[in-house]
Amino acid sequence: QDILDRLAAAERTMNQLMGIFDLVQKSTQLQELQAQSESPEFWNIPEKAQSVMKKIAALQDELQTWDKL
């Protein structure tokens, strides 16, 4: 039973760490999309620009939620 408890604890720790790395990836993706949105040609393709802006908003919301915790 002790081994099972330790394995379960290790799994919980691993899942927490994976969540942290996912946040780092999302933060990096947000920065990349924000840089794209600053390009003078960004709005040349309005549909793509709107999609990028929605993704930026979603990433900002998610990261702000985690920051509040």
Side-chain angles (χ1 to χ4, degrees):
Q1 184 63 29
D2 184 48
I3 291 175
L4 293 177
D5 291 339
R6 292 189 339 192
L7 282 173
E11 182 179 14
R12 285 191 299 274
T13 301
M14 189 171 68
N15 287 338
Q16 289 171 341
L17 290 173
M18 290 180 72
I20 291 169
F21 291 126
D22 188 44
L23 292 177
V24 170
Q25 177 190 13
K26 288 177 190 252
S27 180
T28 300
Q29 183 182 16
L30 174 61
Q31 291 172 359
E32 291 170 355
L33 292 174
Q34 287 173 325
Q36 284 180 23
S37 72
E38 296 169 2
S39 167
E41 299 87 23
F42 180 70
W43 287 101
N44 288 352
I45 305 173
E47 299 83 16
K48 182 179 178 185
Q50 288 176 343
S51 175
V52 170
M53 295 305 291
K54 286 181 183 179
K55 185 66 175 173
I56 287 172
L59 287 167
Q60 286 174 328
D61 286 346
E62 186 171 353
L63 290 170
Q64 286 174 359
T65 298
W66 282 104
D67 284 344
K68 290 177 184 177
L69 296 179

